Amino acid sequence: DQQVKQNSPSLSVQEGRISILNCDYTNSMFDYFLWYKKYPAEGPTFLISISSIKDKNEDGRFTVFLNKSAKHLSLHIVPSQPGDSAVYFCAASAPNTGNQFYFGTGTSLTVIP
Amino acid sequence: KAGVTQTPRYLIKTRGQQVTLSCSPISGHRSVSWYQQTPGQGLQFLFEYFSETQRNKGNFPGRFSGRQFSNSRSEMNVSTLELGDSALYLCASSLTGTGSGYTFGSGTRLTVV
């Protein structure tokens, strides 16, 4: 049962515009969320995280928004750059589950120059 | 500093065989987690080791096992391979045991024929 879902397998955006990647989850116990970025033939790299006590976290061009009531989070990239083209995974964890994270299936972002 | 090293990078095995994958974490990292990545399921948590002890385990059959050595290197073993075990196996090491501290290796691509 997929507890974290990324319903858009792919997204294309013009360079300079905003990219919005979405993620939904079903487990209301999740309290910590992360986004990872993955290039082909490489492992995922950590991008940004957010705790459930916040509804927004910003790091440079990347902002993550959390809507707990809707069990939804989104990653905004502004402005989008060609180097942002990659697969993006969202992940979530619940308290007292150690280092176990539930990942979505990923969204492949293509930024068109 | 050296990253997370996974060996081998590619592996082809026959149904019924067993396989051992290796992961060398970043020096000083004591937590090692294993994930299976398949196209339809995203990254699925297998298990986590910390200081030679399995600290957490995902929902995989007993054919999947692992261990961690005193130098924090970890191995993952899959016995009686099935076609459905074909996947990218990713190892992630962490100093603090939190997902934001994960550093992933590039993975081992296992193909079962």
Side-chain angles (χ1 to χ4, degrees), chain B residues 53-79:
Chain B
T53 301
Q54 188 181 84
R55 191 159 71 169
N56 207 353
K57 190 177 191 304
N59 190 25
F60 276 81
R63 300 185 297 107
F64 291 81
S65 63
R67 59 178 176 167
Q68 188 179 33
F69 301 95
S70 57
N71 62 357
S72 292
R73 189 177 72 86
S74 178
E75 286 182 348
M76 191 193 96
N77 185 275
V78 189
S79 62

Side-chain angles (χ1 to χ4, degrees), chain B residues 1-2 7 12 16 21 26 43 61 63 66-68 71 74 101 103 105 107-108 110:
Chain B
K1 60 181 178 182
T7 55
I12 300 175
L21 311 182
I26 288 174
L43 277 76
R63 300 185 297 107
R67 59 178 176 167
Q68 188 179 33
N71 62 357
S74 178
T103 299
T108 293
L110 171 65

